[in-house]
Amino acid sequence: MEAELAALAASGATTLVGLMVSETWSQARDRVARFFARGADGEVVDEELRLSEQELVAARASDDELAVADIEAGWRLRLRRALQADPGAAEELRLLLAELAPAAAGSDAAVTVHNSVNGGVQNGPVIQGQQFSSLTFYSSGSVPQGSSAGQPNE
């Protein structure tokens, strides 16, 4: 049973760290904090999660894989202790991971994107990617010499 709990704690820590750098972390953090608080002060746990998130973002920005591994190891240990202290927590963690894992996997999932730009000269930004939101473009409205707006060069 100990090996199963250790594997569950490792899976939980990996998912937790993956969520910390995803767009869904703000919603997931509340659920994770409730799991760790388990009747204690949830604000303390929430602050620990916020600090870990900041440390993780800084570590990834500086390509500090050792720091990333340390953060994950810390949460793995914390999860293992929570599971050992309360055997009923294992099922709760399994359900939480099943709910949150798709969001964590989606943030790092490998996606192949093939883009092509056709039709002549592009007189504005060409954006290629998978997901965009809140984009704003400013343009001087000028068209390069020898081009007509809306008409490709031949």
Side-chain angles (χ1 to χ4, degrees), residues 2 4-17 20 31-33 35-38 49 71-87 89-90 92-94 96-97:
E2 181 64 33
E4 182 182 336
L5 291 181
L8 181 59
S11 174
T14 301
T15 301
L16 177 63
V17 169
M20 283 183 182
R31 299 259 307 146
V32 172
F35 172 82
F36 280 111
R38 307 190 63 71
L49 289 166
I71 294 166
E72 186 173 328
W75 286 105
R76 183 174 50 248
L77 177 62
R78 179 118 185 226
L79 278 167
R80 193 168 60 230
R81 287 180 179 162
L83 295 172
Q84 288 170 338
D86 181 2
E92 185 180 343
L93 181 58
R94 283 186 191 96
L96 182 61
L97 292 177

Side-chain angles (χ1 to χ4, degrees), residues 117-139:
V117 179
N118 298 315
V121 175
Q122 305 301 316
N123 294 314
V126 176
I127 307 297
Q128 297 180 331
Q130 183 177 356
Q131 296 177 343
F132 300 98
S133 63
S134 303
L135 297 178
T136 304
F137 298 98
Y138 299 96
S139 173

